[in-house]
Amino acid sequence: QNAKLSDFELFWEIYPRRQKKGDAMKAWVQTENIRPCIEEVIAAIQEQEKSVQWQKDAGQFIPLPASWLRSWQWADE
């Protein structure tokens, strides 16, 4: 449990939109069996942070963390 929590906390720290943490934690648990390792998740976030969508209007179009997890956005090209 502790390792999972620390991975979630890592995700939470790096994700640029920190809203609805409880929902994000639920999504984290729900995606446990399909989500890649934390390093891949972080790499995906860092890559997507460079995108026009995430930079536009001061990050207004960055998905909520739970939505990002539930829609498997770590797999986006």
Side-chain angles (χ1 to χ4, degrees):
Q1 184 68 27
N2 261 357
K4 289 177 197 163
L5 188 62
S6 64
D7 279 356
F8 173 77
E9 290 300 335
L10 263 171
F11 164 76
W12 188 254
E13 285 303 308
I14 196 165
Y15 199 80
R17 184 174 178 184
R18 293 181 199 93
Q19 292 174 300
K20 301 189 178 183
K21 188 174 185 176
D23 197 29
M25 189 175 272
K26 276 188 218 162
W28 186 262
V29 172
Q30 289 167 346
T31 58
E32 181 177 14
N33 295 325
I34 50 172
R35 197 181 57 245
C37 66
I38 187 65
E39 292 80 12
E40 285 183 44
V41 169
I42 289 171
I45 292 167
Q46 290 172 332
E47 197 54 41
Q48 290 172 28
E49 278 183 311
K50 301 171 192 169
S51 72
V52 172
Q53 181 183 343
W54 281 34
Q55 291 183 6
K56 188 176 179 181
D57 296 335
Q60 186 178 331
F61 299 101
I62 297 171
L64 286 168
S67 300
W68 190 87
L69 288 165
R70 287 193 182 104
S71 57
W72 301 13
Q73 284 185 269
W74 61 78
D76 286 1
E77 298 285 316

